[in-house]
Coordinates of all heavy atoms in Angstrom, one line a residue:
F59 N -4.8 3.7 0.0 CA -4.2 5.0 0.3 C -4.9 5.4 1.7 O -5.9 4.9 2.1 CB -4.5 6.1 -0.7 CG -3.8 5.9 -2.0 CD1 -4.2 5.0 -3.0 CD2 -2.6 6.6 -2.3 CE1 -3.5 4.8 -4.1 CE2 -1.9 6.4 -3.5 CZ -2.4 5.5 -4.4
R60 N -4.3 6.4 2.3 CA -5.0 6.9 3.5 C -4.8 8.4 3.6 O -3.9 9.0 3.0 CB -4.4 6.2 4.8 CG -2.9 6.6 5.0 CD -2.4 5.7 6.2 NE -1.0 6.1 6.6 CZ -0.3 5.4 7.5 NH1 -0.8 4.3 8.1 NH2 0.9 5.8 7.7
Q61 N -5.7 9.0 4.4 CA -5.6 10.5 4.6 C -6.0 10.8 6.0 O -7.1 10.5 6.4 CB -6.4 11.3 3.6 CG -6.2 12.8 3.6 CD -6.8 13.5 2.4 OE1 -7.6 12.9 1.7 NE2 -6.3 14.7 2.2
A62 N -5.1 11.4 6.7 CA -5.3 11.9 8.1 C -5.8 13.4 8.0 O -5.4 14.1 7.1 CB -4.1 11.7 8.9
P63 N -6.5 13.8 9.1 CA -6.9 15.2 9.1 C -5.8 16.2 9.0 O -4.7 16.1 9.7 CB -7.6 15.3 10.5 CG -8.0 14.0 10.8 CD -7.0 13.1 10.2
G64 N -5.9 17.1 8.1 CA -4.9 18.1 7.9 C -3.6 17.7 7.1 O -2.7 18.4 7.0
K65 N -3.7 16.4 6.6 CA -2.5 15.9 5.9 C -2.9 15.5 4.5 O -4.0 15.3 4.2 CB -1.9 14.7 6.7 CG -1.4 15.0 8.0 CD -0.6 13.8 8.6 CE 0.0 14.2 9.9 NZ 0.7 13.0 10.5
E66 N -1.9 15.4 3.7 CA -2.1 14.9 2.3 C -2.4 13.4 2.2 O -2.0 12.7 3.1 CB -0.9 15.3 1.4 CG -0.7 16.8 1.3 CD 0.5 17.1 0.3 OE1 1.1 16.2 -0.2 OE2 0.6 18.3 0.0
R67 N -3.0 13.0 1.1 CA -3.2 11.6 0.9 C -1.9 10.9 0.8 O -1.0 11.3 0.2 CB -4.1 11.4 -0.3 CG -4.4 10.0 -0.6 CD -5.4 9.9 -1.8 NE -5.1 10.8 -2.9 CZ -5.9 11.1 -3.9 NH1 -7.1 10.6 -3.9 NH2 -5.4 11.9 -4.9
E68 N -1.8 9.7 1.4 CA -0.5 9.0 1.5 C -0.7 7.6 1.0 O -1.7 6.9 1.2 CB -0.1 8.9 3.0 CG 1.2 8.1 3.2 CD 1.5 7.8 4.7 OE1 0.6 8.1 5.5 OE2 2.6 7.4 5.0
F69 N 0.2 7.1 0.2 CA 0.2 5.8 -0.4 C 0.5 4.8 0.7 O 1.4 5.0 1.5 CB 1.2 5.7 -1.5 CG 1.4 4.2 -1.9 CD1 0.4 3.5 -2.6 CD2 2.7 3.6 -1.7 CE1 0.6 2.2 -3.0 CE2 2.9 2.3 -2.1 CZ 1.9 1.6 -2.8
V70 N -0.3 3.7 0.8 CA -0.1 2.6 1.8 C 0.4 1.4 1.1 O 1.5 0.9 1.5 CB -1.4 2.4 2.5 CG1 -1.3 1.2 3.5 CG2 -1.9 3.6 3.2
A71 N -0.3 0.8 0.1 CA 0.1 -0.5 -0.4 C -0.7 -0.6 -1.8 O -1.7 -0.1 -2.0 CB -0.3 -1.6 0.5
A72 N -0.1 -1.4 -2.7 CA -0.7 -1.7 -4.0 C -0.3 -3.1 -4.5 O 0.8 -3.6 -4.2 CB -0.3 -0.6 -5.0
S73 N -1.2 -3.6 -5.3 CA -0.9 -4.9 -5.9 C -1.4 -4.9 -7.3 O -2.5 -4.5 -7.6 CB -1.8 -6.0 -5.1 OG -1.8 -7.2 -5.8
R74 N -0.5 -5.4 -8.2 CA -0.9 -5.6 -9.6 C -1.8 -6.8 -9.7 O -2.0 -7.5 -8.7 CB 0.3 -5.7 -10.5 CG 1.2 -4.5 -10.5 CD 2.3 -4.6 -11.4 NE 1.9 -4.5 -12.8 CZ 2.7 -5.0 -13.8 NH1 3.9 -5.5 -13.6 NH2 2.2 -4.9 -15.1
W75 N -2.3 -7.1 -10.9 CA -3.3 -8.2 -11.0 C -2.9 -9.5 -10.5 O -3.7 -10.3 -10.0 CB -3.7 -8.3 -12.5 CG -2.5 -8.8 -13.4 CD1 -1.5 -8.1 -14.0 CD2 -2.3 -10.2 -13.7 NE1 -0.7 -8.9 -14.6 CE2 -1.1 -10.2 -14.5 CE3 -2.9 -11.4 -13.3 CZ2 -0.6 -11.4 -14.9 CZ3 -2.3 -12.6 -13.8 CH2 -1.2 -12.6 -14.6
S76 N -1.6 -9.8 -10.6 CA -1.1 -11.2 -10.2 C -1.0 -11.3 -8.7 O -0.9 -12.4 -8.1 CB 0.2 -11.5 -10.8 OG 1.2 -10.6 -10.3
G77 N -0.9 -10.1 -8.0 CA -0.6 -10.2 -6.6 C 0.9 -10.3 -6.2 O 1.3 -10.3 -5.1
Y78 N 1.7 -10.5 -7.3 CA 3.1 -10.7 -7.1 C 3.8 -9.4 -6.8 O 3.5 -8.4 -7.5 CB 3.7 -11.4 -8.4 CG 5.2 -11.6 -8.3 CD1 5.8 -12.6 -7.5 CD2 6.0 -10.8 -9.1 CE1 7.1 -12.7 -7.5 CE2 7.4 -10.9 -9.1 CZ 7.9 -11.9 -8.3 OH 9.3 -12.1 -8.3
N79 N 4.8 -9.5 -5.9 CA 5.6 -8.3 -5.6 C 4.9 -7.0 -5.3 O 5.0 -6.0 -6.0 CB 6.6 -8.1 -6.8 CG 7.8 -7.2 -6.4 OD1 8.1 -7.0 -5.3 ND2 8.4 -6.6 -7.4
P80 N 4.1 -7.0 -4.3 CA 3.3 -5.8 -3.9 C 4.2 -4.7 -3.5 O 5.4 -5.0 -3.2 CB 2.4 -6.3 -2.8 CG 3.1 -7.4 -2.2 CD 3.8 -8.1 -3.3
V81 N 3.7 -3.5 -3.5 CA 4.5 -2.3 -3.1 C 3.9 -1.7 -1.9 O 2.7 -1.7 -1.7 CB 4.5 -1.3 -4.3 CG1 5.3 -0.1 -3.9 CG2 5.1 -1.9 -5.5
Y82 N 4.8 -1.2 -1.0 CA 4.3 -0.6 0.3 C 4.9 0.8 0.5 O 6.0 1.1 0.1 CB 4.7 -1.5 1.5 CG 4.0 -2.8 1.4 CD1 4.6 -3.9 0.9 CD2 2.7 -3.0 2.0 CE1 4.0 -5.2 0.8 CE2 2.1 -4.2 1.9 CZ 2.7 -5.3 1.3 OH 2.1 -6.5 1.3
G83 N 4.2 1.6 1.2 CA 4.7 2.9 1.6 C 5.7 2.7 2.7 O 5.6 1.7 3.5
D84 N 6.7 3.6 2.8 CA 7.8 3.4 3.8 C 7.3 3.3 5.2 O 7.8 2.5 6.0 CB 8.8 4.5 3.7 CG 9.6 4.5 2.4 OD1 9.6 3.4 1.8 OD2 10.1 5.5 2.0
S85 N 6.2 4.0 5.5 CA 5.8 4.1 6.9 C 5.0 2.8 7.4 O 4.8 2.6 8.6 CB 4.8 5.3 7.1 OG 3.7 5.1 6.3
V86 N 4.7 1.9 6.4 CA 3.9 0.7 6.8 C 4.7 -0.6 6.5 O 4.2 -1.7 6.8 CB 2.5 0.7 6.1 CG1 1.8 1.9 6.4 CG2 2.7 0.4 4.6
K87 N 5.8 -0.5 5.9 CA 6.6 -1.7 5.5 C 6.9 -2.5 6.7 O 7.3 -2.0 7.8 CB 7.9 -1.3 4.8 CG 7.8 -0.8 3.4 CD 9.1 -0.5 2.8 CE 8.9 0.0 1.4 NZ 10.2 0.5 0.8
G88 N 6.6 -3.8 6.6 CA 6.9 -4.8 7.7 C 5.7 -4.9 8.6 O 5.7 -5.8 9.5
R89 N 4.7 -4.0 8.5 CA 3.6 -4.1 9.4 C 2.3 -4.4 8.7 O 1.4 -5.0 9.3 CB 3.4 -2.7 10.2 CG 4.6 -2.4 11.0 CD 4.4 -1.1 11.9 NE 4.1 0.0 11.1 CZ 3.0 0.8 11.2 NH1 2.0 0.4 12.0 NH2 2.8 1.8 10.4
F90 N 2.2 -3.9 7.5 CA 0.9 -4.1 6.7 C 1.2 -5.0 5.6 O 2.3 -5.1 5.0 CB 0.5 -2.7 6.1 CG 0.0 -1.7 7.1 CD1 0.1 -1.9 8.5 CD2 -0.7 -0.6 6.6 CE1 -0.4 -1.0 9.4 CE2 -1.2 0.4 7.5 CZ -1.0 0.2 8.9
T91 N 0.1 -5.8 5.2 CA 0.2 -6.7 4.1 C -1.0 -6.6 3.2 O -2.2 -6.6 3.7 CB 0.3 -8.2 4.6 OG1 1.4 -8.3 5.4 CG2 0.4 -9.1 3.4
I92 N -0.8 -6.4 1.9 CA -1.9 -6.3 1.0 C -2.1 -7.7 0.3 O -1.1 -8.4 0.0 CB -1.7 -5.2 -0.1 CG1 -3.0 -5.1 -1.0 CG2 -0.5 -5.5 -0.9 CD1 -2.9 -3.9 -1.9
S93 N -3.3 -8.1 0.1 CA -3.5 -9.4 -0.5 C -4.9 -9.3 -1.3 O -5.6 -8.3 -1.1 CB -3.6 -10.6 0.5 OG -4.7 -10.4 1.4
R94 N -5.1 -10.2 -2.2 CA -6.3 -10.2 -3.0 C -6.8 -11.5 -3.3 O -6.1 -12.5 -3.3 CB -6.0 -9.4 -4.3 CG -5.0 -10.0 -5.2 CD -4.6 -9.0 -6.3 NE -5.6 -8.8 -7.2 CZ -5.7 -7.7 -8.0 NH1 -4.7 -6.8 -8.0 NH2 -6.7 -7.6 -8.9
D95 N -8.2 -11.6 -3.4 CA -8.8 -12.8 -3.7 C -9.6 -12.5 -5.0 O -10.7 -11.9 -5.0 CB -9.8 -13.3 -2.6 CG -10.4 -14.6 -2.9 OD1 -10.5 -15.0 -4.1 OD2 -10.9 -15.3 -2.0

C-alpha cells in the first residue's frame, strides 16, 4: 500500500501465497509488478 501526504492510504499490489494471479491498483497496472520469494 502507499500513502502520500494529505491523501488516504491507497492499495498498490497484492499476492496470495502461491503468487498466482496477483492484484494491482488501477493507477499502477502495467507499470508495477509484485513478486515473492
Side-chain angles (χ1 to χ4, degrees):
F59 291 81
R60 68 186 183 186
Q61 189 164 19
K65 294 188 177 181
E66 294 186 353
R67 182 170 47 189
E68 177 187 11
F69 169 67
V70 176
S73 166
R74 297 182 72 197
W75 66 272
S76 67
Y78 175 74
N79 198 18
V81 179
Y82 296 94
D84 289 342
S85 61
V86 306
K87 284 180 181 177
R89 300 187 298 124
F90 291 11
T91 303
I92 187 171
S93 62
R94 59 193 294 162
D95 185 338

